[in-house]
C-alpha cells in the first residue's frame, strides 16, 4: 500500500460511483437502519442532492449488550430495497465472518468498524470478497496498525479498500473522540488508498459536525461519511450527533468550493 507518485488507487463502489478520483465521495444516512419509511425518506432527500451513497447499520457494535443491537437480516432487506428503488449504493457494517455472505447481494460496500479494525480473521475473510471495504481506524490505533489492517485485506486478494479516520480516544470527552486530521494528510502521503473522514463519530455532537467535515475536505480527504436522520433526536442510536437531512444537504453544498480549492 506504499504511496507511489504515479498511482493513486481509485476504488469503484458501483460502475458509476468511485472514490479517490476527482469527485468527493459523500456518504450519508442514519447510524442505524430503523425501518423502510425512515430509509425511504433519507434516500428521497439525499440522493437528488449530491450524496452518492447511503449508510445504515444493521449489526450494531453497541457498548451495552442491553442496547438495541440492530435489525439484522430484516435491515439488510431494507437496504437492498432502497438501493434498488433509488439506484444508490449502500454501505453497512459487518461485525462477523458469518454475516458476509448475506451482505454480498444486498449492499455495495462493507464497513469494518473501529472495534473490529484488528479482527484479523474478519479482515482475511474480507480479502476474499469482490466488494470494496470501508475500513475505519481503531479507537486507539496507530497509523502503522491501521495501514497493516488494510494490508491484511489486500494481501488476501481484495485491493478495494477505503480508509476512514473517525477520531481517536483521548482524555477529554467533550468531543466524543479527537479527529486526527494529521492522520488524513499522513495517510495520503504514505499510502495510495483513498481516505475519507467520519466527522460524526469524532464530534459526538451535531453542532460540531459541519466544521469538522469542511476541515477534513480542506485537509485533502477524498470524501466523508456523515450520520443524519429524518428526526435526529429520535435516532435509535447516536442521536446527539445526527444531522437533520436539511443540514446534511446544506453541508454538501458548502463542501464544493472547499474541494475545488484543495
Ligand atoms: C458507525 O459507523 O455507526 C460506527 C459504529 O462507527 P465506528 O466504528 O467508527 O464507531
Ligand atoms: Mn453511529
Amino acid at each position: 500500500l506504499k504511496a507511489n507518485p504515479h498511482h493513486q488507487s481509485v476504488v469503484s463502489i458501483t460502475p458509476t460511483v468511485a472514490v479517490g478520483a476527482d469527485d468527493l465521495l459523500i456518504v450519508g444516512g442514519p447510524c442505524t437502519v430503523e425501518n423502510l419509511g425512515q430509509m425511504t425518506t433519507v434516500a428521497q432527500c439525499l440522493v437528488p442532492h449530491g450524496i452518492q451513497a447511503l449508510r445504515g447499520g444493521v449489526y450494531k457494535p453497541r457498548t451495552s449488550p442491553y442496547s438495541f443491537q440492530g435489525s439484522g437480516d430484516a435491515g439488510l432487506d431494507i437496504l437492498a430495497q432502497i438501493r434498488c428503488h433509488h439506484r444508490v449504493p449502500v454501505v453497512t457494517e459487518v461485525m462477523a465472518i458469518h454475516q458476509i455472505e448475506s451482505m454480498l447481494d444486498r449492499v455495495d460496500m462493507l464497513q469494518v468498524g473501529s472495534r473490529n479494525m484488528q479482527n484479523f480473521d474478519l479482515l482475511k475473510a474480507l480479502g476474499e470478497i469482490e466488494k470494496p471495504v470501508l475500513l475505519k481506524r481503531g479507537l486507539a490505533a496507530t497509523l502503522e496498525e491501521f495501514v497493516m489492517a488494510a494490508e491484511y485485506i489486500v494481501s488476501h486478494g481484495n485491493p478495494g479498500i477505503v480508509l476512514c479516520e473517525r477520531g481517536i480516544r483521548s482524555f477529554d470527552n467533550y468531543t466524543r473522540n479527537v479527529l486526527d486530521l494529521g492522520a488524513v494528510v499522513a495517510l495520503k502521503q504514505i499510502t495510495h488508498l483513498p481516505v475519507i473522514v467520519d466527522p460524526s463519530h469524532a464530534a459526538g455532537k451535531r453542532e460540531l459536525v459541519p466544521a469538522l467535515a469542511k476541515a477534513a475536505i480542506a485537509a485533502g480527504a477524498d470524501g466523508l461519511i456523515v450520520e443524519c436522520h429524518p428526526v435526529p433526536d429520535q435516532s435509535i442510536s447516536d442521536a446527539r450527533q445526527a444531522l437533520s437531512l436539511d443540514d446534511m444537504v446544506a453541508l454538501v453544498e458548502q463542501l464544493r468550493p472547499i474541494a475545488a480549492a484543495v
Side-chain angles (χ1 to χ4, degrees), residues 30-32 55 60 136 176 198 200-201 227 237-238 241:
C31 183
T32 297
R55 61 152 289 148
K60 296 302 301 178
K136 297 186 93 175
R176 187 176 181 182
D198 172 350
S200 306
H201 291 87
E227 288 188 348
S237 57
D238 289 349
Q241 70 198 30

Side-chain angles (χ1 to χ4, degrees), residues 181-243:
L181 289 181
V184 175
V185 180
L187 289 165
K188 295 289 296 176
Q189 290 175 0
I190 62 182
T191 79
H192 55 76
L193 295 176
V195 181
I196 71 169
V197 167
D198 172 350
S200 306
H201 291 87
K205 294 179 164 71
R206 69 175 66 92
E207 62 273 24
L208 303 176
V209 169
L212 293 181
K214 291 180 225 170
I217 300 307
D222 296 295
L224 298 171
I225 179 165
V226 180
E227 288 188 348
C228 51
H229 191 282
V231 191
D233 285 331
Q234 286 174 22
S235 303
I236 212 163
S237 57
D238 289 349
R240 188 65 185 80
Q241 70 198 30
L243 295 184

